[in-house]
Amino acid sequence: AITPPKKPILNYKISKLLNKITTSPDMTFLDLHNIYIGNEEAIALAPVIKELKSLTTLNIYNNNLGSEGAIVLAPAIKELKSLTELRFGSNNIGNEGAIALAPAIKEL
């Protein structure tokens, strides 16, 4: 089982979702689009998603992520060796976030 993050999460919906994810480490598709993930939620999400070794698709489209959220998620995404599709559009990650994500998505 995956250990849930220790940091409190502001978004209750995300908190419930993270609890479900930790009980499903073999999932292949994770759809997190349009659920108001911000930088603080990304901090809580990163250690959880990096354990999803079978994940092939991660959809984080249309959330409230800024560059900090992208920078925090990038190392976790890089560890997802099975990932073939990442949907990260319609977030405000800026140049810093894009630069952080580039090495993580280089192999996609």
Side-chain angles (χ1 to χ4, degrees):
I2 301 167
T3 306
K6 304 270 188 243
K7 182 174 176 26
I9 301 168
L10 299 177
N11 186 326
Y12 178 73
K13 199 186 243 188
I14 301 295
S15 180
K16 288 187 64 120
L17 179 65
L18 288 177
N19 286 332
K20 289 201 179 270
I21 293 170
T22 60
T23 61
S24 305
D26 295 327
M27 71 172 52
T28 59
F29 183 87
L30 181 57
D31 187 358
L32 302 173
H33 85 281
N34 203 29
I35 59 171
Y36 308 105
I37 295 173
N39 293 331
E40 290 193 33
E41 289 82 13
I43 291 167
L45 182 62
V48 174
I49 65 166
K50 79 176 188 178
E51 299 299 327
L52 301 176
K53 304 298 184 193
S54 300
L55 200 65
T56 58
T57 302
L58 176 58
N59 185 1
I60 309 178
Y61 184 85
N62 197 31
N63 281 288
N64 296 321
L65 284 172
S67 60
E68 181 184 349
I71 290 166
V72 168
L73 287 172
I77 292 169
K78 189 172 185 175
E79 290 191 34
L80 300 175
K81 303 300 182 200
S82 297
L83 196 67
T84 57
E85 183 175 357
L86 176 64
R87 299 176 190 165
F88 217 95
S90 292
N91 286 288
N92 192 22
I93 64 170
N95 289 339
E96 288 181 27
I99 289 167
L101 280 171
I105 61 175
K106 185 178 178 182
E107 302 299 322
L108 291 180

